[in-house]
Amino acid sequence: MPVSNLEDLLALFRPAVGADEAEEGEVLADASASDETERLSDKTVQASGNTSSMEAAKTAAEFEQRCAAVKVSKTQINSIVMDYLVTEGYPKAAQDFAREANIQPTGEVDNLEARKEIKLAIYGGKIKEAVEMINEVNPLILQHDQSLHFALLRLQLVELIKTANNSEDKDIQPALQFATENLAPIAPTNSQFLNDLEQTMALLVFEEMKLTPPLEAILDPALRIDVAKQVNEAILRANGEPAGTRLVELLKTRAWAEAEARRLGKPLPESMDIGLDPPDGSNAEGNGNLGPDLSSGDGEDEQMAD
């Protein structure tokens, strides 16, 4: 169509502009509807959240009531505490508790004092003395448990290497001789033994400040704690006693029961703290596993030697 004036020119654009305006109107309408949907959704979520919080509080209250309804006798509690003290090797604490609770120590009490002394010797790096005491208690233990025997010999080698590295003359001959005579004949029989021996001997090569994490772990007191625990359990088993405490078994059973209940969708509180963590939440592992706490001492265990 020929364009003869301004009015004709504008007429050409009106259909296109009208279409754009219509499209914009549709977009704005869709956006408005979307905003309204979001507002309604937010209100629904908020209401759902409030309902969930109320339900969670109700579940927690009901669960606490059910727990409070389960009565545990003082006799049962005393028995569990005494079992822990005797099994873990705390003779003085066991005697004091027996006197205060007016009960008799139970479990493996014959070697209780010896197990304590062995534990303290290992904690203090006196591995040779510990091995001698173990053999006095039962010479068959280390003969029948090669892994435990190797772990003790390895700790003894670590102490010899530390002595050499800290001496002025850096004499490594005693460590080399001990490793050659006691560990080298055993190591080839087990790939893990061989790897452990190689890593331990590497302590002679690298400076302590430049050790890799696997080598640092060899010098960590946690290794002594672990070996001492293995020794204590081996002595208990040799005497026909359970190697673990009833308290730890109860905690394991509780953890399993909670996991199974949640798997089956049973109504439980979101969080079920059993009070093993310290008030500040730090070092949860140290208390959570009921292992030895050497940071503060308990009047019976000594501080671990460097």
Side-chain angles (χ1 to χ4, degrees):
M1 180 180 70
V3 180
S4 59
N5 53 42
L6 180 60
E7 183 65 25
D8 292 336
L9 181 62
L10 293 175
L12 293 174
F13 286 95
R14 284 193 184 101
V17 172
D20 288 342
E21 289 178 344
E23 184 177 356
E24 289 177 358
E26 292 178 0
V27 172
L28 291 174
D30 291 342
S32 178
S34 177
D35 290 342
E36 183 64 22
T37 302
E38 289 182 2
R39 284 193 292 270
L40 292 174
S41 177
D42 290 342
K43 291 181 179 180
T44 303
V45 169
Q46 184 177 3
S48 176
N50 293 336
T51 303
S52 298
S53 299
M54 294 175 60
E55 291 178 352
K58 181 181 178 181
T59 299
E62 292 176 348
F63 185 81
E64 290 177 2
Q65 291 176 357
R66 292 171 62 188
C67 290
V70 178
K71 302 300 180 182
V72 181
S73 70
K74 189 175 182 180
T75 300
Q76 291 174 309
I77 295 176
N78 289 343
S79 177
I80 291 173
V81 173
M82 179 60 73
D83 173 77
Y84 179 82
L85 295 175
V86 172
T87 301
E88 291 297 320
Y90 297 101
K92 185 177 183 302
Q95 293 171 2
D96 292 344
F97 183 73
R99 183 173 58 255
E100 294 176 4
N102 194 27
I103 59 176
Q104 291 296 321
T106 58
E108 208 286 304
V109 296
D110 294 338
N111 293 315
L112 182 53
E113 186 67 34
R115 287 191 287 116
K116 172 202 168 184
E117 294 301 324
I118 292 171
K119 176 176 62 176
L120 293 180
I122 296 174
Y123 284 177
K126 301 175 182 178
I127 312 303
K128 184 178 180 181
E129 294 180 14
V131 171
E132 292 174 351
M133 286 188 284
I134 294 171
N135 288 331
E136 289 178 2
V137 171
N138 190 333
L140 297 179
I141 291 176
L142 297 183
Q143 290 183 22
H144 293 166
D145 195 335
Q146 192 177 50
S147 295
L148 181 59
H149 192 197
F150 183 88
L152 287 163
L153 292 175
R154 184 193 184 198
L155 283 182
Q156 193 169 347
L157 175 61
V158 170
E159 296 305 315
L160 291 172
I161 292 175
K162 288 168 59 178
T163 299
N165 289 341
N166 294 329
S167 64
E168 294 183 0
D169 57 2
K170 305 294 182 183
D171 184 14
I172 65 173
Q173 189 58 38
L176 291 175
Q177 182 176 352
F178 181 85
T180 302
E181 294 178 356
N182 296 278
L183 289 160
I186 306 174
T189 64
N190 186 300
S191 59
Q192 186 61 53
F193 291 173
L194 189 59
N195 180 68
D196 290 344
L197 178 57
E198 290 174 349
Q199 287 189 336
T200 305
M201 296 303 293
L203 297 176
L204 291 169
V205 179
F206 299 101
E207 296 181 10
E208 185 170 348
M209 299 301 294
K210 299 180 180 179
L211 296 179
T212 61
L215 297 184
E216 288 180 343
I218 301 175
L219 299 177
D220 194 306
L223 182 61
R224 299 185 204 171
I225 294 175
D226 181 62
V227 174
K229 183 176 185 296
Q230 293 179 46
V231 169
N232 186 63
E233 292 175 349
I235 295 175
L236 290 170
R237 285 194 296 268
N239 291 332
E241 296 289 340
T245 65
R246 286 155 56 192
L247 178 58
V248 172
E249 290 303 316
L250 284 172
L251 290 174
K252 290 180 179 179
T253 301
R254 179 206 173 281
W256 172 86
E258 179 182 349
E260 188 69 6
R262 293 192 187 280
R263 185 184 68 83
L264 296 174
K266 301 297 183 180
L268 293 177
E270 293 182 2
S271 176
M272 296 176 61
D273 181 25
I274 56 176
L276 289 180
D277 293 338
D280 60 359
S282 63
N283 193 24
E285 182 179 355
N287 289 309
N289 63 10
L290 297 177
D293 182 1
L294 303 177
S295 59
S296 60
D298 63 355
E300 189 155 345
D301 275 354
E302 299 174 354
Q303 290 289 339
M304 187 176 295
D306 294 332

